[in-house]
Amino acid sequence: MIGLISATAAGAAARDRLAAAWPDRTRVYEGPVGDAVRTAFAQCEQLVCFLATGAVVRLVAPLLSGKTEDPGVVCVDEGGRFAVSLLGGHAGGGNELAREVGDLLGAEPVVTTATDAVDLAGLDTLGLPVEGDVAGVSRALLDGEAVALRAEVAWPLPPLPVTDEGAYTIRLTDRLVAAAEREAVLRPPTLVIGVGASRGAPVEEVLGLVEEALREAGLSVASVAELATVEAKAEEAGIVEAARRLGVPLVTYSAEELAGVDVPNPSDAPLAAVGTPSVAEAAALVGGGELLVPKRKSAASPAMATCAVVRRPGRGRLAVVGLGPGARDLLTPRAKAELRRASVLVGLDQYVDQIRDLLRPGTRILESGLGAEEERARTAVEEARKGQAVALIGSGDAGVYAMASPALAEASDDIDVVGVPGVTAALAAGAILGAPLGHDHVSISLSDLHTPWEVIERRVRAAAEADIVVTFYNPRSRGRDWQLPKALGILAEHRTPRTPVGVVRNASRPDESSRLTTLGSLDPATVDMMTVVTVGNTATRDIAGRMVTPRGYRWQAAQEGAE
């Protein structure tokens, strides 16, 4: 919960805007400011104070416990110009809250945390338990010193400016090891604990068995991702409480699912009890991975609990990102976030240049020239399979004549894939022209490099006969100068020469140009590969110099008839 505190009418107005925008996330604290701050500090994970920073410093100073316990505190000035992350920038989420508040109120977020100031991913912001010399390693990263990454398990980390060797080290491990001097240890959640238990098994026996198995195998409890068991044990109190105390979810599977998992130590006892020859091993292995601790029983007599431990390495992540038509303000916030998250960026060199300044330090860039689409797709998938966080970029929407389809054709279910939509060239051109896509429309690429012309022509004829607005991508190049005239001729068989046609070159870019002409007047020689051509249907009109395709509402038709 976010506590909201204000002292003036202007502050209350801004406070109420946040409360209205985030009704489920916020609580307004009224009354004397000092009492409100103290109460909110004790009750909330975060605070937004519409007060001077000095006043807030004096109020919260006696309440501070430590950087990992204190809430995130953001101060907004009386004029609503700045949202200052004052306290708990990382652990308390103050930095991100300042950005969110800034976006909502139109204020400038002020973040002074060193790593954020230079756009480095802070080791304590990665969502992983971290221990050791976190401050020293962070300073080394900030100072540009050599910091080595020792990744003992695969995990999709964000970009970090690391090397193979260095005086400082970031160690990524699920092993039960103490951090060395000048070393920060990150604990990824790679361990799955399969658990079986007799009815009424005490939590102490279940939890003790799990902790003993991890300790003897040299594994860290901080890397436990989940406890897993059979559905019949979903309400077993000892298992449920063990998961709660470990702070991990309890995942259950049907007996049929578990019975289909090949395990080294099946048994007749669980088969008779719950319908599967294995609970602990099968529940741990159902998602794949390496069995580190085979089934073992608790030391009690009789033993009422079993467990097994599996290492399930982090799945690589492939984000297929659409950059939009070129203008920076048409690049979506989600696309920006994925670019900042990726440790590996794969893309066409000219697209990489568009967003290079948005990448975090340490991002590995794999760029190539025109004509290497399949190579880029394979490279992106291969990097994701290594456990990397990868962004594969394309212009417009990555799923429209871009990189999503070749990449997903290469990918299998061994990596996570995220699609990030972008503004397409057709949409950007449509907004420039007016509203040519107001009714049914289709996009057709006239490039026959990968699609036979016979197929393209069949699609153009179908769109012409169906009276659908058509946007042509890749309309004409030096080596392909006859396809556009041919396509326009097919449309002309079904549409009059006065049919509006919009021509937009480099939509949304500094050298953007556009014109509205007609099907009978368009000169194909004025069109190139940087252009999209939108041909209206029989209802499309030129209205005040804008290309408009009526939506076809009944009230609109009646109104036009009355006129």
Side-chain angles (χ1 to χ4, degrees), residues 194-515:
V195 178
S198 302
R199 181 177 299 174
V203 62
E204 289 77 13
E205 184 172 345
V206 175
L207 191 59
L209 173 62
V210 168
E211 292 175 341
E212 181 183 29
L214 291 170
R215 184 171 57 253
E216 292 185 2
L219 300 169
S220 172
V221 70
S223 284
V224 174
E226 62 189 45
L227 258 59
T229 191
V230 67
E231 284 178 353
K233 297 297 179 179
E235 304 298 327
E236 187 64 49
I239 296 177
V240 173
E241 178 62 15
R244 189 193 69 79
R245 293 188 188 181
L246 289 169
V248 298
L250 176 62
V251 179
T252 62
Y253 301 97
S254 69
E256 292 76 15
E257 286 180 280
L258 298 186
V261 179
D262 186 27
V263 298
N265 300 293
S267 172
D268 293 335
L271 180 62
V274 294
T276 173
S278 172
V279 173
E281 287 182 341
L285 284 167
V286 70
E290 177 188 3
L291 183 63
L292 301 179
V293 179
K295 181 183 74 174
R296 59 183 294 169
K297 297 181 179 180
S298 56
S301 184
M304 299 183 72
T306 60
C307 83
V309 182
V310 163
R311 175 182 288 136
R312 191 182 298 169
R315 290 164 61 88
R317 188 175 190 276
L318 173 61
V320 188
V321 181
L323 301 180
R328 178 58 60 85
D329 59 356
L330 291 182
L331 178 67
T332 68
R334 187 177 299 180
K336 291 180 182 178
E338 288 295 346
L339 294 176
R340 290 169 52 79
R341 177 174 181 169
S343 59
V344 179
L345 182 86
V346 181
L348 179 66
D349 47 14
Q350 64 190 58
Y351 297 153
V352 171
D353 289 340
Q354 290 180 24
I355 48 82
R356 197 182 297 271
D357 63 300
L358 297 177
L359 304 178
R360 277 180 154 167
T363 305
R364 185 157 55 96
I365 300 173
L366 304 176
E367 55 188 314
S368 52
L370 288 168
E373 288 85 357
E374 292 182 7
E375 177 190 340
R376 285 193 290 274
R378 284 194 296 269
T379 297
V381 172
E382 288 169 1
E383 290 294 329
R385 285 184 175 140
K386 296 175 185 177
Q388 301 287 344
V390 182
L392 174 63
I393 60 174
S395 66
D397 182 284
V400 179
Y401 304 123
M403 294 305 301
S405 54
L408 269 59
E410 290 283 338
S412 53
D413 63 358
D414 56 348
I415 61 173
D416 295 326
V417 178
V418 177
V420 182
V423 178
T424 67
L427 294 178
I432 294 165
L433 294 169
L437 310 182
H439 210 302
D440 296 336
H441 55 275
V442 63
S443 296
I444 298 176
S445 171
L446 294 183
S447 172
D448 56 0
L449 295 177
H450 301 289
T451 304
W453 175 254
E454 294 76 16
V455 175
I456 297 172
E457 182 173 333
R458 187 166 66 246
R459 292 170 180 172
V460 175
R461 289 191 180 279
E465 293 171 2
D467 196 26
I468 295 176
V469 175
V470 181
T471 297
F472 289 123
Y473 279 70
N474 306 312
R476 184 177 181 274
S477 67
R478 291 179 181 177
R480 294 186 302 100
D481 58 1
W482 59 267
Q483 287 88 344
L484 179 59
K486 177 68 173 177
L488 294 174
I490 294 171
L491 292 177
E493 296 173 10
H494 300 269
R495 303 177 193 184
T496 72
R498 297 189 303 276
T499 301
V501 176
V503 180
V504 180
R505 188 177 191 278
N506 283 332
S508 87
R509 301 191 182 192
D511 56 346
E512 168 191 299
S513 64
S514 65
R515 66 184 187 278

Side-chain angles (χ1 to χ4, degrees), residues 79-98:
R81 299 170 300 166
F82 303 104
V84 182
S85 177
L86 183 69
L87 183 67
H90 285 170
N95 293 348
E96 184 56 34
L97 180 60

